[in-house]
Amino acid sequence: MIGNLKPLEILLIIAVIVLLFGAKKLPEMARSLGKSARILKSEAKAMKSESAAEDAARTADQASQQAAPRTIKAAPGDVTSSRPVGEPNHTAQG
Protein backbone atom coordinates (compact mmCIF):
# COMPACT_ATOMS: atom_id res chain seq x y z
CA MET A 1 0.00 0.00 0.00
CA ILE A 2 2.80 2.43 0.84
CA GLY A 3 4.53 1.61 -2.44
CA ASN A 4 1.43 2.86 -4.33
CA LEU A 5 1.69 6.42 -2.98
CA LYS A 6 2.39 9.13 -5.53
CA PRO A 7 4.80 12.01 -4.79
CA LEU A 8 1.94 14.47 -4.28
CA GLU A 9 0.30 12.18 -1.71
CA ILE A 10 3.59 11.82 0.18
CA LEU A 11 4.00 15.62 0.30
CA LEU A 12 0.44 15.99 1.55
CA ILE A 13 1.06 13.48 4.36
CA ILE A 14 4.26 15.30 5.38
CA ALA A 15 2.43 18.64 5.39
CA VAL A 16 -0.32 17.23 7.64
CA ILE A 17 2.29 15.82 10.06
CA VAL A 18 4.08 19.19 10.24
CA LEU A 19 0.80 21.00 10.83
CA LEU A 20 -0.29 18.56 13.55
CA PHE A 21 2.93 18.38 15.53
CA GLY A 22 4.73 21.58 14.56
CA ALA A 23 8.23 21.99 13.14
CA LYS A 24 9.81 22.29 16.60
CA LYS A 25 8.50 18.96 17.89
CA LEU A 26 9.46 16.86 14.84
CA PRO A 27 13.24 16.62 15.55
CA GLU A 28 12.50 15.74 19.18
CA MET A 29 10.07 13.03 18.09
CA ALA A 30 12.58 11.66 15.58
CA ARG A 31 15.28 11.48 18.29
CA SER A 32 12.99 9.63 20.68
CA LEU A 33 11.94 7.26 17.91
CA GLY A 34 15.59 6.54 17.09
CA LYS A 35 16.40 6.00 20.76
CA SER A 36 13.50 3.57 21.08
CA ALA A 37 14.65 1.68 17.99
CA ARG A 38 18.20 1.36 19.40
CA ILE A 39 16.87 0.07 22.73
CA LEU A 40 14.63 -2.44 20.98
CA LYS A 41 17.52 -3.64 18.82
CA SER A 42 19.87 -4.07 21.79
CA GLU A 43 17.22 -5.92 23.81
CA ALA A 44 16.48 -8.25 20.90
CA LYS A 45 20.20 -8.95 20.51
CA ALA A 46 20.51 -9.65 24.26
CA MET A 47 17.54 -12.03 24.18
CA LYS A 48 19.01 -13.83 21.17
CA SER A 49 22.41 -14.30 22.84
CA GLU A 50 20.73 -15.38 26.09
CA SER A 51 18.66 -17.92 24.19
CA ALA A 52 21.79 -19.23 22.44
CA ALA A 53 23.56 -19.61 25.79
CA GLU A 54 20.60 -21.53 27.24
CA ASP A 55 20.55 -23.81 24.18
CA ALA A 56 24.28 -24.48 24.54
CA ALA A 57 23.86 -25.30 28.24
CA ARG A 58 20.92 -27.59 27.49
CA THR A 59 22.93 -29.37 24.78
CA ALA A 60 25.88 -29.82 27.16
CA ASP A 61 23.56 -31.26 29.82
CA GLN A 62 22.10 -33.71 27.33
CA ALA A 63 25.57 -34.73 26.15
CA SER A 64 26.76 -35.33 29.71
CA GLN A 65 23.66 -37.39 30.47
CA GLN A 66 24.21 -39.53 27.37
CA ALA A 67 27.91 -40.01 28.13
CA ALA A 68 27.38 -41.30 31.66
CA PRO A 69 25.99 -44.86 31.78
CA ARG A 70 22.63 -45.05 33.45
CA THR A 71 22.22 -47.61 36.20
CA ILE A 72 19.18 -49.39 37.49
CA LYS A 73 19.10 -48.83 41.23
CA ALA A 74 18.48 -51.77 43.52
CA ALA A 75 17.35 -51.94 47.10
CA PRO A 76 19.92 -50.76 49.67
CA GLY A 77 22.46 -53.50 50.32
CA ASP A 78 21.48 -55.51 47.20
CA VAL A 79 24.50 -55.05 44.92
CA THR A 80 23.90 -58.13 42.75
CA SER A 81 20.85 -56.75 40.95
CA SER A 82 22.33 -53.32 40.23
CA ARG A 83 23.58 -53.23 36.63
CA PRO A 84 24.08 -50.72 33.79
CA VAL A 85 21.12 -50.22 31.50
CA GLY A 86 21.42 -51.94 28.13
CA GLU A 87 23.69 -54.76 29.32
CA PRO A 88 22.24 -58.21 29.87
CA ASN A 89 21.95 -59.49 33.41
CA HIS A 90 24.70 -62.11 33.93
CA THR A 91 23.27 -63.69 37.05
CA ALA A 92 22.98 -67.45 37.09
CA GLN A 93 19.46 -68.61 36.46
CA GLY A 94 18.50 -72.16 36.85
Side-chain angles (χ1 to χ4, degrees):
M1 181 173 170
I2 294 176
N4 296 335
L5 293 177
K6 298 175 185 162
L8 183 61
E9 293 169 340
I10 294 172
L11 286 174
L12 184 63
I13 291 171
I14 292 172
V16 168
I17 290 173
V18 169
L19 287 174
L20 283 176
F21 297 108
K24 292 182 181 180
K25 291 253 181 178
L26 287 179
E28 182 182 323
M29 289 173 46
R31 272 192 292 276
S32 66
L33 183 64
K35 210 181 270 188
S36 300
R38 281 191 298 274
I39 291 171
L40 179 66
K41 186 177 179 181
S42 68
E43 290 295 324
K45 192 181 291 186
M47 286 177 55
K48 189 175 181 180
S49 66
E50 185 177 295
S51 173
E54 286 176 358
D55 289 344
R58 191 175 304 123
T59 303
D61 286 345
Q62 289 174 352
S64 68
Q65 287 176 356
Q66 290 175 355
R70 297 183 331 175
T71 329
I72 296 175
K73 301 292 180 184
D78 184 17
V79 292
T80 58
S81 62
S82 178
R83 61 183 170 78
V85 175
E87 293 181 12
N89 192 356
H90 295 297
T91 58
Q93 295 179 0

